[in-house]
């Protein structure tokens, strides 16, 4: 049964290769093996993208996670967005035995982005405060454990309420996207470490995501947490939870922005 499945996949791949124009078949064809979640595959591999890639001589091939990666391909690029220790080990071993293949991105290169503390430290280390406009990182505090100690730790650190609480690990899971907004000292005990606490900065309810590939730069706007007014602070208490704020479905590209926010 497994052999039949592999034969069908190989036949499908050959048919896809033959469907390319003759000039592209003669030139170098770039084969991209992808390992994504079903949700990411559905949102990423749109027919428009596949058609554009085909015209550019690029073929997307799904990686079968039930088969050894080295038995598949050959690939020019391995594109992935999976998590877990086992998958990282598979990729590292593959990189060692297939140095000619570009892995996007190598596990070691994205490891520091899985931790929100080290993620923002990269920005702080760039020292862009005197660049074209102000680029800064909100004051933050890492809480590894013991939620009962959070109020005292926050007080000693001098952080100003309200505070945004984010899971320390950013691994792409639903849990890692959950945000909380704490309005008072007492509510801080209700938070669940490990987490990062950041001073909340009003930003017009919109954030900007910047994607850079080589010389290409793409900026998209996403809805974010709403601004907090002095009135909100005086009459609000407790922890407000936001399961997922800035996902693709929350696009703010067509939203009317405050001029001071749109210009930032």
């Amino acid at each position: 049964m497994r052999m039949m499945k592999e034969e069908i996949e190989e036949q499908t791949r050959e048919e896809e290769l033959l469907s390319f124009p003759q000039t592209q078949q003669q030139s170098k064809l770039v084969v991209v093996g992808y390992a994504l979640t079903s949700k990411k595959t559905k949102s990423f591999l749109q027919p428009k993208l596949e058609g554009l890639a085909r015209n550019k001589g690029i073929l997307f091939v799904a990686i079968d996670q039930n088969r050894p990666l080295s038995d598949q391909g050959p690939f020019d690029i391995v594109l992935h967005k999976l998590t877990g220790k086992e998958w990282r080990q598979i990729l590292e071993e593959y990189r060692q035995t297939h140095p000619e293949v570009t892995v996007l991105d190598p596990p070691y290169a994205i490891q520091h982005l899985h931790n929100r503390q080290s993620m923002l430290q990269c920005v702080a280390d760039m020292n862009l405060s005197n660049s074209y406009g102000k680029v800064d990182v909100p004051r933050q505090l890492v809480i590894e454990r013991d939620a009962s100690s959070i109020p005292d730790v926050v007080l000693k650190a001098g952080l100003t309420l309200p505070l945004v609480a984010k899971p320390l690990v950013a691994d792409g899971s639903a849990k890692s996207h959950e945000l909380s907004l704490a309005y008072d000292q007492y509510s801080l005990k209700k938070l669940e470490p490990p987490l990062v606490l950041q001073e909340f900065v009003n930003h017009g309810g919109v954030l900007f995501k910047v994607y850079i590939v080589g010389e290409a730069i793409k900026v998209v706007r996403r809805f974010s947490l709403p601004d907090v007014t002095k009135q909100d602070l005086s009459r609000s208490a407790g922890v407000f939870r936001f399961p997922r704020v800035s996902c693709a479905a929350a696009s703010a590209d067509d939203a009317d922005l405050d001029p001071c926010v749109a210009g930032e």
Side-chain angles (χ1 to χ4, degrees), residues 159-173:
L159 266 61
T160 304
L161 294 165
L163 296 176
V164 180
K166 305 177 181 179
L168 182 60
V169 176
D171 59 3
S173 65

PDB file of all heavy atoms in Angstrom, residues 159-173:
ATOM      1  N   LEU A 159       7.370  49.215  36.455  1.00  0.00           N
ATOM      2  CA  LEU A 159       6.539  49.187  35.253  1.00  0.00           C
ATOM      3  C   LEU A 159       5.196  49.855  35.527  1.00  0.00           C
ATOM      4  O   LEU A 159       4.656  49.757  36.626  1.00  0.00           O
ATOM      5  CB  LEU A 159       6.310  47.748  34.783  1.00  0.00           C
ATOM      6  CG  LEU A 159       7.298  47.221  33.726  1.00  0.00           C
ATOM      7  CD1 LEU A 159       8.712  47.244  34.275  1.00  0.00           C
ATOM      8  CD2 LEU A 159       6.926  45.801  33.298  1.00  0.00           C
ATOM      9  N   THR A 160       4.666  50.520  34.511  1.00  0.00           N
ATOM     10  CA  THR A 160       3.413  51.260  34.631  1.00  0.00           C
ATOM     11  C   THR A 160       2.257  50.470  34.038  1.00  0.00           C
ATOM     12  O   THR A 160       2.357  49.946  32.926  1.00  0.00           O
ATOM     13  CB  THR A 160       3.531  52.618  33.911  1.00  0.00           C
ATOM     14  OG1 THR A 160       4.640  53.348  34.446  1.00  0.00           O
ATOM     15  CG2 THR A 160       2.266  53.437  34.093  1.00  0.00           C
ATOM     16  N   LEU A 161       1.157  50.379  34.774  1.00  0.00           N
ATOM     17  CA  LEU A 161      -0.054  49.728  34.279  1.00  0.00           C
ATOM     18  C   LEU A 161      -0.753  50.619  33.258  1.00  0.00           C
ATOM     19  O   LEU A 161      -0.610  51.837  33.303  1.00  0.00           O
ATOM     20  CB  LEU A 161      -0.990  49.440  35.454  1.00  0.00           C
ATOM     21  CG  LEU A 161      -0.480  48.412  36.481  1.00  0.00           C
ATOM     22  CD1 LEU A 161      -1.301  48.473  37.752  1.00  0.00           C
ATOM     23  CD2 LEU A 161      -0.532  47.017  35.887  1.00  0.00           C
ATOM     24  N   PRO A 162      -1.524  49.990  32.336  1.00  0.00           N
ATOM     25  CA  PRO A 162      -1.776  48.555  32.167  1.00  0.00           C
ATOM     26  C   PRO A 162      -0.576  47.845  31.543  1.00  0.00           C
ATOM     27  O   PRO A 162       0.252  48.461  30.883  1.00  0.00           O
ATOM     28  CB  PRO A 162      -2.989  48.514  31.243  1.00  0.00           C
ATOM     29  CG  PRO A 162      -2.849  49.747  30.405  1.00  0.00           C
ATOM     30  CD  PRO A 162      -2.272  50.793  31.333  1.00  0.00           C
ATOM     31  N   LEU A 163      -0.564  46.526  31.727  1.00  0.00           N
ATOM     32  CA  LEU A 163       0.514  45.701  31.196  1.00  0.00           C
ATOM     33  C   LEU A 163      -0.046  44.643  30.247  1.00  0.00           C
ATOM     34  O   LEU A 163      -1.098  44.063  30.511  1.00  0.00           O
ATOM     35  CB  LEU A 163       1.268  45.006  32.331  1.00  0.00           C
ATOM     36  CG  LEU A 163       2.008  45.910  33.324  1.00  0.00           C
ATOM     37  CD1 LEU A 163       2.626  45.063  34.435  1.00  0.00           C
ATOM     38  CD2 LEU A 163       3.078  46.730  32.629  1.00  0.00           C
ATOM     39  N   VAL A 164       0.662  44.417  29.171  1.00  0.00           N
ATOM     40  CA  VAL A 164       0.313  43.349  28.236  1.00  0.00           C
ATOM     41  C   VAL A 164       1.083  42.105  28.652  1.00  0.00           C
ATOM     42  O   VAL A 164       2.300  42.159  28.849  1.00  0.00           O
ATOM     43  CB  VAL A 164       0.674  43.718  26.786  1.00  0.00           C
ATOM     44  CG1 VAL A 164       0.306  42.579  25.840  1.00  0.00           C
ATOM     45  CG2 VAL A 164      -0.033  44.984  26.362  1.00  0.00           C
ATOM     46  N   ALA A 165       0.379  40.999  28.786  1.00  0.00           N
ATOM     47  CA  ALA A 165       1.005  39.726  29.130  1.00  0.00           C
ATOM     48  C   ALA A 165       0.999  38.821  27.901  1.00  0.00           C
ATOM     49  O   ALA A 165      -0.054  38.595  27.291  1.00  0.00           O
ATOM     50  CB  ALA A 165       0.268  39.057  30.286  1.00  0.00           C
ATOM     51  N   LYS A 166       2.188  38.326  27.536  1.00  0.00           N
ATOM     52  CA  LYS A 166       2.326  37.453  26.377  1.00  0.00           C
ATOM     53  C   LYS A 166       3.060  36.185  26.796  1.00  0.00           C
ATOM     54  O   LYS A 166       4.012  36.255  27.583  1.00  0.00           O
ATOM     55  CB  LYS A 166       3.130  38.145  25.267  1.00  0.00           C
ATOM     56  CG  LYS A 166       2.593  39.494  24.833  1.00  0.00           C
ATOM     57  CD  LYS A 166       3.502  40.128  23.792  1.00  0.00           C
ATOM     58  CE  LYS A 166       2.992  41.489  23.352  1.00  0.00           C
ATOM     59  NZ  LYS A 166       3.884  42.117  22.345  1.00  0.00           N
ATOM     60  N   PRO A 167       2.642  35.023  26.287  1.00  0.00           N
ATOM     61  CA  PRO A 167       3.389  33.793  26.584  1.00  0.00           C
ATOM     62  C   PRO A 167       4.849  33.958  26.185  1.00  0.00           C
ATOM     63  O   PRO A 167       5.159  34.552  25.137  1.00  0.00           O
ATOM     64  CB  PRO A 167       2.689  32.735  25.734  1.00  0.00           C
ATOM     65  CG  PRO A 167       1.294  33.259  25.553  1.00  0.00           C
ATOM     66  CD  PRO A 167       1.454  34.751  25.449  1.00  0.00           C
ATOM     67  N   LEU A 168       5.761  33.465  26.998  1.00  0.00           N
ATOM     68  CA  LEU A 168       7.184  33.613  26.712  1.00  0.00           C
ATOM     69  C   LEU A 168       7.580  32.905  25.426  1.00  0.00           C
ATOM     70  O   LEU A 168       8.391  33.404  24.653  1.00  0.00           O
ATOM     71  CB  LEU A 168       8.002  33.053  27.894  1.00  0.00           C
ATOM     72  CG  LEU A 168       9.524  33.161  27.788  1.00  0.00           C
ATOM     73  CD1 LEU A 168       9.954  34.614  27.658  1.00  0.00           C
ATOM     74  CD2 LEU A 168      10.186  32.501  28.989  1.00  0.00           C
ATOM     75  N   VAL A 169       6.981  31.737  25.188  1.00  0.00           N
ATOM     76  CA  VAL A 169       7.316  30.949  23.995  1.00  0.00           C
ATOM     77  C   VAL A 169       6.384  31.324  22.845  1.00  0.00           C
ATOM     78  O   VAL A 169       5.158  31.283  22.991  1.00  0.00           O
ATOM     79  CB  VAL A 169       7.217  29.442  24.282  1.00  0.00           C
ATOM     80  CG1 VAL A 169       7.476  28.638  23.014  1.00  0.00           C
ATOM     81  CG2 VAL A 169       8.202  29.048  25.377  1.00  0.00           C
ATOM     82  N   ALA A 170       6.974  31.679  21.720  1.00  0.00           N
ATOM     83  CA  ALA A 170       6.204  32.016  20.514  1.00  0.00           C
ATOM     84  C   ALA A 170       6.482  30.948  19.463  1.00  0.00           C
ATOM     85  O   ALA A 170       7.341  31.114  18.592  1.00  0.00           O
ATOM     86  CB  ALA A 170       6.602  33.392  19.993  1.00  0.00           C
ATOM     87  N   ASP A 171       5.761  29.834  19.548  1.00  0.00           N
ATOM     88  CA  ASP A 171       6.029  28.694  18.667  1.00  0.00           C
ATOM     89  C   ASP A 171       4.970  28.495  17.589  1.00  0.00           C
ATOM     90  O   ASP A 171       4.959  27.466  16.913  1.00  0.00           O
ATOM     91  CB  ASP A 171       6.164  27.417  19.496  1.00  0.00           C
ATOM     92  CG  ASP A 171       4.905  27.116  20.321  1.00  0.00           C
ATOM     93  OD1 ASP A 171       3.917  27.870  20.197  1.00  0.00           O
ATOM     94  OD2 ASP A 171       4.916  26.139  21.086  1.00  0.00           O
ATOM     95  N   GLY A 172       4.076  29.483  17.419  1.00  0.00           N
ATOM     96  CA  GLY A 172       3.060  29.375  16.379  1.00  0.00           C
ATOM     97  C   GLY A 172       1.800  28.662  16.808  1.00  0.00           C
ATOM     98  O   GLY A 172       0.836  28.601  16.049  1.00  0.00           O
ATOM     99  N   SER A 173       1.783  28.127  18.025  1.00  0.00           N
ATOM    100  CA  SER A 173       0.589  27.440  18.516  1.00  0.00           C
ATOM    101  C   SER A 173      -0.480  28.450  18.899  1.00  0.00           C
ATOM    102  O   SER A 173      -0.207  29.654  19.063  1.00  0.00           O
ATOM    103  CB  SER A 173       0.940  26.577  19.726  1.00  0.00           C
ATOM    104  OG  SER A 173       1.366  27.386  20.817  1.00  0.00           O
TER     105      SER A 173
END
